[in-house]
Amino acid sequence: GVMVALAAGLLSPHAWRSQRRRDAGMRKDAEILRLRSEVEWWRSWWCSWQQDEERWWWSQQLQWQQNKDYKNEVYVSPEELDEEVTGLHLPALGAEPTTLSKEQADGGVGEETDSEEDEEEEEQSMREVR
């Protein structure tokens, strides 16, 4: 390799040192770019986390201010809101949201509907939890 080229006079010691310096400089540049991209990733993660924390804090403040009269019970969100939130979370999990056919929405395909006894048992277990 290099020693043969130096011995044969094809590469001067000065040129060899210059090439090594350039190579070292390129390695340093690559390392700096890698570190910059890593720092940028962490910075964006931190900003995102802070925004999430801030949103959570403000939402808690609003809930505490507006909902002082709520009892300690189970509350169900409206179906439209539930579907919207689910639709926002699915892509983050790598899933595709789909819509049900009319027959599926009516409960006629693939699943058995709960009997009245099952519903009564469920209500009874919810009352016991409270």
Side-chain angles (χ1 to χ4, degrees), residues 107-118:
V109 176
E111 291 188 27
E112 296 178 18
T113 57
D114 291 339
S115 67
E116 287 182 25
E117 292 172 3
D118 291 340

Side-chain angles (χ1 to χ4, degrees), residues 52-108:
D52 289 346
E53 283 293 303
E54 197 170 309
R55 281 190 210 109
W56 176 85
W57 190 85
W58 282 111
S59 69
Q60 291 300 308
Q61 293 299 315
L62 287 172
Q63 283 181 358
W64 291 329
Q65 289 169 7
Q66 295 171 358
N67 303 330
K68 291 180 181 175
D69 58 341
Y70 276 177
K71 297 180 181 91
N72 189 12
E73 296 179 2
V74 176
Y75 293 92
V76 180
S77 60
E79 186 176 345
E80 296 81 21
L81 178 62
D82 192 36
E83 289 177 1
E84 183 179 344
V85 171
T86 302
L88 294 171
H89 282 86
L90 285 177
L93 300 171
E96 286 289 321
T98 59
T99 55
L100 296 175
S101 68
K102 177 75 173 142
E103 189 177 2
Q104 289 172 321
D106 293 339

